[in-house]
Amino acid sequence: MKKLIGNVILTIGLVGGAITAARIPPMWGGLAVSLGVMAVGIVLRRQGAKEELHRAAQSGTGGVKELERLLTESLARLEAIMDAPKDRVLSELTAVLEELEEFAEKAQPLRIEGLMTYGTIMTVFSRGERALNRAWSAFADGCEDEGRKYLRFGYEDLKETLKAIKSLRV
């Protein structure tokens, strides 16, 4: 709710500031008040966003536990297809990639831990996801050797992501 109220206050401040600044000569007092209103809106918006992240982490719709489960399941499925026939790899890899689509959304509560932590985890994860997409593409195009190479790259990157997430536990 704070986020919504913050957005409304920010918009009111923005419109007020535009109106007072557009006058000739500008209405400096009104502009200063509008800037203050905008600052209040920004503070409320940030508080609301932070509260949403905390609620998501506590409700289990994201955060460390959910991400750990998602990665553990995906890694187990990838291990099972490392040396499997091409057709099985392609269908199973499709399912894994569909599951991993949720990762970025569920990782949002990690921003509570800090932007550097979130950035590090998402960088490694996205590298692994790209490798798995390349593997899928290679298998679909019939380039099995290249597909297996990228499958291993993606697997290793997801393992590294899981390791980084587990290190967040205090």
Side-chain angles (χ1 to χ4, degrees):
M1 189 66 174
K2 277 187 182 179
K3 192 173 176 183
L4 175 65
I5 293 170
N7 281 335
V8 170
I9 291 174
L10 182 61
T11 303
I12 290 169
L14 182 64
V15 170
I19 291 170
T20 58
R23 297 223 181 231
I24 298 180
M27 298 170 60
W28 295 111
L31 183 60
V33 169
S34 294
L35 290 174
V37 169
M38 288 171 58
V40 169
I42 290 170
V43 168
L44 284 174
R45 193 175 184 296
R46 285 186 175 199
Q47 286 177 350
K50 195 173 268 191
E51 288 173 5
E52 282 180 9
L53 293 175
H54 282 289
R55 275 195 303 275
Q58 290 170 350
S59 69
T61 57
V64 175
K65 291 177 186 168
E66 182 70 18
L67 295 175
E68 193 174 321
R69 181 197 59 78
L70 183 65
L71 284 173
T72 303
E73 288 175 5
S74 297
L75 285 168
R77 292 174 80 173
L78 290 174
E79 284 174 2
I81 61 170
M82 283 295 185
D83 298 318
K86 180 182 124 179
D87 293 335
R88 180 167 174 246
V89 171
L90 197 55
S91 65
E92 191 67 23
L93 193 52
T94 300
V96 168
L97 286 169
E98 286 173 1
E99 283 180 12
L100 291 177
E101 283 180 18
E102 301 173 19
F103 188 90
E105 183 179 322
K106 291 183 184 235
Q108 290 301 313
L110 291 180
R111 292 180 13 218
I112 296 168
E113 304 291 332
L115 200 52
M116 287 299 292
T117 302
Y118 175 75
T120 301
I121 289 171
M122 290 308 294
T123 299
V124 177
F125 170 76
S126 63
R127 187 176 61 215
E129 186 182 30
R130 275 192 309 276
L132 292 176
N133 278 310
R134 286 181 183 154
W136 184 92
S137 182
F139 277 110
D141 291 343
C143 303
E144 193 170 335
D145 291 338
E146 182 180 354
R148 294 208 185 273
K149 179 175 95 173
Y150 280 107
L151 184 62
R152 291 191 198 296
F153 287 162
Y155 174 78
E156 292 302 320
D157 287 335
L158 289 185
K159 272 179 41 178
E160 189 177 335
T161 304
L162 181 60
K163 186 173 137 184
I165 287 175
K166 284 183 176 183
S167 72
L168 289 177
R169 294 201 171 164
V170 179

